[in-house]
Amino acid sequence: MTDRTIIIIGFAVVFAAVAIAVTYSLLRRDRLATIGETLAHLTRTRTARVIAVLIWAWLGWHFLAR
């Protein structure tokens, strides 16, 4: 197995875990916050929004630049 294959499998596992968490949060709205509610809470301040944009740019540069 090559390094690339392991990385792709790792991202697939992370994606599946996020998809399961989102689905579960939508089914159990009384107990868990949705992704949108969580992001809205985390990006209430200007500093948090700037940090979120920088993280998004870093991820895009490193994973989509190939």
Side-chain angles (χ1 to χ4, degrees), residues 13-36:
V13 169
V14 169
F15 178 76
V18 168
I20 290 169
V22 167
T23 303
Y24 186 71
S25 72
L26 289 173
L27 294 174
R28 300 297 306 238
R29 287 188 159 221
D30 57 329
R31 298 186 75 194
L32 296 171
T34 62
I35 292 285

Side-chain angles (χ1 to χ4, degrees), residues 2-8 11 57-66:
T2 65
D3 290 340
R4 180 175 170 83
T5 305
I6 293 170
I7 291 170
I8 291 172
F11 276 109
W58 184 88
L59 287 171
W61 178 261
H62 284 85
F63 298 114
L64 301 176
R66 281 188 159 200

Side-chain angles (χ1 to χ4, degrees), residues 11 39 42-43 46-64:
F11 276 109
L39 288 176
L42 291 174
T43 58
R46 180 177 174 86
T47 304
R49 286 191 299 268
V50 169
I51 290 171
V53 168
L54 291 174
I55 290 170
W56 190 256
W58 184 88
L59 287 171
W61 178 261
H62 284 85
F63 298 114
L64 301 176

